Amino acid sequence: GNGRLRKLSLEWNGITRLAASAIVQLLASDTTVLEVLILRDNPVAEGEDLYRQLRAAVVQESPNNHLRELCLGNTRTSKRGAGVLADVLRSGFFKALSSLSLYGNSMVGADGCRQLMDSLPQDGTLQSLNLAM
């Protein structure tokens, strides 16, 4: 193989919003070939920093053509964070994303779920969305 990282699983590592910039740098890098990123069960989305920095990267960086699966379950995503994530999804930044998990983020609520649903690409790329509370 080429030795490039394809899957990164970081669940239950206590990763906080302080790591948001490093995560966004990884996702926005034109050299990354990461296909699966699992951040579940970390408070990484608390305070919306992760999603705000992703939205900023959408404007400055090339689209991410590799990430297929993004798991953000139990990451303390709020309704506001879901709205910012919806902006990122609507932008088409994640060209290959086929699975998005946001389960266990009860603060997203019905309005946040609606924003996410309205932002989904119409091309059928996203095949799995988990918003279970």
Side-chain angles (χ1 to χ4, degrees):
N2 61 10
R4 294 195 154 188
L5 188 63
R6 303 270 182 199
K7 180 178 181 178
L8 181 58
S9 181
L10 296 169
E11 69 261 34
W12 295 105
N13 276 296
I15 297 169
T16 67
R17 64 194 225 180
L18 299 176
S21 61
I23 293 166
V24 171
Q25 285 176 354
L26 175 68
L27 293 173
S29 170
D30 58 355
T31 60
T32 189
V33 293
L34 192 66
E35 296 175 0
V36 178
L37 178 59
I38 302 171
L39 292 169
R40 71 180 188 92
D41 300 303
N42 288 294
V44 69
E46 189 172 51
E48 293 92 39
D49 291 352
L50 176 65
Y51 301 126
R52 278 194 238 122
Q53 290 182 37
L54 261 177
R55 184 171 56 191
V58 164
V59 177
Q60 301 169 0
E61 306 294 337
S62 301
N64 180 307
N65 293 310
H66 300 284
L67 193 70
R68 293 181 295 104
E69 181 182 332
L70 180 58
C71 183
L72 296 165
N74 294 318
T75 54
R76 297 188 185 165
T77 298
S78 65
K79 178 174 96 173
R80 190 176 349 198
V84 178
L85 180 57
D87 291 344
V88 172
L89 294 172
R90 196 175 292 109
S91 76
F93 180 73
F94 292 114
K95 296 291 186 196
L97 193 65
S98 62
S99 177
L100 176 61
S101 295
L102 281 161
Y103 60 83
N105 290 299
S106 60
M107 294 181 296
V108 167
D111 288 341
C113 288
R114 202 172 356 272
Q115 289 177 326
L116 288 164
M117 294 296 293
D118 290 345
S119 72
L120 298 181
Q122 300 301 309
D123 63 4
T125 307
L126 193 70
Q127 298 174 4
S128 174
L129 176 64
N130 186 344
L131 296 173
M133 297 300 148

